Amino acid sequence: MSLFSRRLRAMSLALIVMVVLAGMPLYAQRSQEGFVSTENAGTAVAAAPFEEVAEWSDKMPELSSEQQAQLDFNIDRVNLPGPARDLDSAEASDGLQLDVAPAADSETTLAEAANADKAPLAPGDAQLYRNVAFGGTIPSGNKSNVLEPSLGVGGKYAFYSGNWFAARSVNGGSSWSYVNSYTNMSDFCCDQIVQYDKARDMFLWLRQGVANGSGVNRFRLSVSTNGAASFCAYDFYPTNTNAGWTNQWWDYPHIQLGADYAYIAYNMFNANSSWTRTVMLRLPLDALRSCSGFSYNYLSSTSWFTFVPVQGADHVMYFASNNPTSSPYNRISIWRWPENSTSTYQVINSVAAWTYGSNHQCGSSSGNWMGRSSDRLLAGARYELHHANLNVNGRKILGWWWNAQQGGNFTQPYIDGYAVYEDTMTQVSGSQGRPYIWSSSYCYGYPSVAANARGDLGIVMDYAQSSDSWKSRVGYIIADDFTNAPPGFSLHGVISSSARPSDNKWGDYNTVRVFQPGQNNWVAGAHYIPGSTNCSVCSAPVYFAFGRSRDYYNWSRWAGY
């Protein structure tokens, strides 16, 4: 390494501080030891919203045969893959590093957890506060094995969406009422996401539309300030954001919140279903709360596929991609977007390579619930490490997780991970820098991750084992001051499927959120198959709340117990 390079490395952090203070844009790319800009940014305007009336009912309205046909037709035309990796290229040397052997004692193990709401427990015992499987009230035509459950919770109010329904509870999830997601949106398809902003007591509900014959769709963002009883709604078409994005459509959304902005990530495709770019939109939360028009910022990239923002951001949002469009492919790009700036700061780090691809095989090829999975990022969180030899008081960690297929040193599909220190953007030392969830006996997939007010991690995922014929189960993990520095993690079961998906479809995601306003517990949405016969449109949603026994009252006093 040259003297200049060594000096530049040593001065990187100081340069970052100096440039930020000067209000100038900074782009850091560690792999080239320089600062480079690779993204396109801009500003757009959202018009004032319109009123949207939600007609809630104790019984889910059944979809018409035309609506069901539209949904069945389009479910395989969303969550599309990006550019294929050219693993035969001369530059793809990372293929030699695939599946680095897992560290000793890093295997995730199944633990027993007390599930009774008021059982006499030790303060550090993991506890399932509430577990409600409410799919029996949803007609079969409103269900999909690609359920994509999402939720937001504010005290006793819970709002839950999935393919293809939306549900609301006013008693902490004990009972539910329903609305047709097609209401006022005849082109609705799928990919719903719900968020709750505690600071503004506000629900956000995103629904994605079907691309028309010209290859154009919209997404609708509905806002409620009365516990999801009614909404104001905004429609976003690609050309609303950038006039040059003609004949293109949004796909595969993510939403996370900062202190003052909502961050919405999307992949974009053209009329031929070829990927064109990945986009991050930044919308002002105060304007959404007041149901007014606003201007907003956006960032787009043609070099990285799928952005995933972290849960738990404050006045700076971080988002990442592990899917570069050129080799080497064992890289992750992390963007830092301060809320008081229109500039983003990018760091590109090398990561341990994995077996790339979408050939996830959990048990038999028939009824394989990981058959639809890919290895793009799925979840991100901002959290803390509590283990004595790693904890630095107040020092934050940024982590991302994704599905990885079996191969090399991993005999089953697993959840891979990557974690950096927030202040330096360098990988956390030891196995905590790769917080994967794996086992030689279990499949793991579809993680969702959130950190509570203490910085503790709550992780929700699906898993399966051969002794139960590889039927999917739902489980959760808590990583906090009662655990050693994971991995390995201790997994607690929530609910088990009685059959497998005959169409080899599942996901595309689960969702966990920090319970508000308690802030030290978690609530989650997932799905399972209650019937005993393998089936294609039969999965049912489950809503559950969990945490440590010490924090039970912190949940029950707000949840309308």
Side-chain angles (χ1 to χ4, degrees), residues 445-513:
Y446 296 108
S448 183
V449 187
N452 67 11
R454 286 191 290 259
D456 309 333
L457 277 183
I459 308 174
V460 169
M461 82 294 295
D462 297 317
Y463 68 103
Q465 63 176 336
S466 61
S467 63
D468 195 28
S469 302
W470 303 108
K471 299 166 189 171
S472 66
R473 304 177 182 182
V474 177
Y476 71 89
I477 286 167
I478 300 174
D480 61 2
D481 51 319
F482 280 101
T483 63
N484 291 324
F489 295 97
S490 292
L491 172 70
H492 307 281
V494 175
I495 198 165
S496 301
S497 293
S498 298
R500 300 195 304 270
S502 60
D503 52 3
N504 288 357
K505 297 175 184 176
W506 203 248
D508 287 318
Y509 45 81
N510 295 305
T511 300
V512 64
R513 308 284 191 211

Side-chain angles (χ1 to χ4, degrees), residues 187-216:
D187 57 335
F188 166 71
C189 170
C190 35
D191 283 2
Q192 299 181 86
I193 296 183
V194 177
Q195 272 281 8
Y196 175 74
D197 178 14
K198 171 181 175 291
R200 296 164 182 83
D201 191 20
M202 173 176 67
F203 283 97
L204 302 178
W205 177 25
L206 182 148
R207 285 169 287 171
Q208 182 174 299
V210 176
N212 62 23
S214 299
V216 177

Side-chain angles (χ1 to χ4, degrees), residues 229-455:
S230 61
F231 299 85
C232 67
Y234 302 79
D235 284 339
F236 293 83
Y237 292 85
T239 51
N240 295 150
T241 299
N242 187 309
W245 296 350
T246 58
N247 304 111
Q248 297 180 45
W249 54 281
W250 314 101
D251 185 41
Y252 195 61
H254 292 265
I255 304 178
Q256 298 297 348
L257 306 180
D260 295 314
Y261 292 90
Y263 296 80
I264 302 178
Y266 259 114
N267 294 322
M268 294 191 68
F269 293 83
N270 62 22
N272 296 321
S273 296
S274 296
W275 176 72
T276 59
R277 66 184 54 80
T278 296
V279 180
M280 179 68 75
L281 311 178
R282 186 173 75 173
L283 312 185
L285 289 168
D286 285 340
L288 292 172
R289 177 67 170 76
S290 63
C291 289
S292 57
F294 53 84
S295 61
Y296 62 95
N297 303 111
Y298 69 88
L299 170 80
S300 69
S301 174
T302 57
S303 300
W304 295 86
F305 178 68
T306 303
F307 292 155
V308 173
V310 296
Q311 289 207 74
D314 192 7
H315 290 283
V316 179
M317 175 54 73
Y318 299 89
F319 56 98
S321 171
N322 71 337
N323 204 324
T325 58
S326 61
S327 61
Y329 297 110
N330 61 325
R331 295 180 294 157
I332 188 167
S333 178
I334 304 171
W335 288 265
R336 178 180 183 270
W337 198 347
E339 294 202 327
N340 63 355
S341 174
T342 59
S343 299
T344 56
Y345 312 97
Q346 183 185 16
V347 174
I348 301 175
N349 290 343
S350 297
V351 300
W354 62 97
T355 300
Y356 306 128
S358 301
N359 186 30
H360 299 72
Q361 184 69 54
C362 184
S364 170
S365 59
S366 174
N368 174 24
W369 59 269
M370 293 202 71
R372 183 183 165 94
S373 179
S374 69
D375 58 1
R376 71 185 78 184
L377 293 185
L378 280 174
R382 180 172 175 256
Y383 61 102
E384 292 186 28
L385 291 173
H386 295 284
H387 195 52
N389 66 352
L390 288 170
N391 181 50
V392 177
N393 187 32
R395 192 178 191 187
K396 295 291 187 178
I397 305 297
L398 307 172
W400 284 270
W401 290 262
W402 62 95
N403 293 341
Q405 70 181 41
Q406 69 287 346
N409 292 287
F410 295 87
T411 57
Q412 306 294 345
Y414 64 102
I415 296 169
D416 211 344
Y418 180 76
V420 299
Y421 293 108
E422 180 184 30
D423 51 0
T424 64
M425 293 288 196
T426 57
Q427 188 171 8
V428 177
S429 59
S431 59
Q432 290 73 41
R434 191 186 182 190
Y436 42 32
I437 300 169
W438 75 279
S439 170
S440 58
S441 303
Y442 291 83
C443 304
Y444 293 106
Y446 296 108
S448 183
V449 187
N452 67 11
R454 286 191 290 259

